[in-house]
Amino acid sequence: MGFLNSLKSLFAGSGGADTAGYWIYVRCHRCGEVIATRLDLRSSLSERDEGGYVVHKTLIGNQFCFQRIEVTLNFDQNRRLLDREISHGEFVSKEEYEAAQARNRQT
Ligand SMILES: [Zn+2]
């Protein structure tokens, strides 16, 4: 019975719309690689003392560049983005990410 329950919660967590997922796209300042990562807003958020939530994430690209890109995102109590910071890279849009992926496939 315990096994079935845990199985159920597993499916409940993964099915349907990905409302807890928050994608960010960044470009590495050193090599120009565009990296995408998904944050789980249910599990990666830390509560801030002053209210709302914060997420820290370190991204490293797949190419031969070991630049660590540090990202900090601040959310309000309703998990809406308030502001974001990045070091060693810059935020790009989903469209720019997809364009970079398309370029990679052509070469
Ligand atoms: Zn890089």
Side-chain angles (χ1 to χ4, degrees):
M1 196 62 201
F3 171 73
L4 271 182
N5 279 339
S6 58
L7 204 67
K8 256 187 218 162
S9 59
L10 200 71
F11 282 117
S14 62
D18 189 14
T19 50
Y22 185 88
W23 283 88
I24 52 175
Y25 307 93
V26 305
R27 177 182 290 124
C28 174
H29 269 172
R30 203 165 136 196
C31 68
E33 179 180 2
V34 180
I35 306 162
T37 193
R38 179 186 176 279
L39 302 173
D40 188 334
L41 293 190
R42 283 173 304 199
S43 62
S44 0
L45 294 182
S46 311
E47 279 187 62
R48 298 189 301 176
D49 293 340
E50 63 267 40
Y53 301 90
V54 64
V55 182
H56 296 287
K57 187 100 182 166
T58 302
L59 306 177
I60 302 172
N62 298 316
Q63 296 173 6
F64 297 103
C65 161
F66 300 100
Q67 181 70 268
R68 296 161 69 89
I69 303 168
E70 309 278 348
V71 174
T72 303
L73 301 173
N74 288 298
F75 294 89
D76 67 9
Q77 287 85 342
N78 300 317
R79 302 185 180 197
R80 282 190 304 247
L81 186 67
L82 289 175
D83 58 65
R84 55 190 191 175
E85 292 168 33
I86 188 167
S87 55
H88 310 300
E90 62 181 322
F91 290 106
V92 298
S93 66
K94 183 171 187 273
E95 288 71 31
E96 287 177 84
Y97 168 73
E98 284 169 352
Q101 295 298 102
R103 276 197 301 274
N104 285 348
R105 276 196 294 273
Q106 284 164 9
T107 52

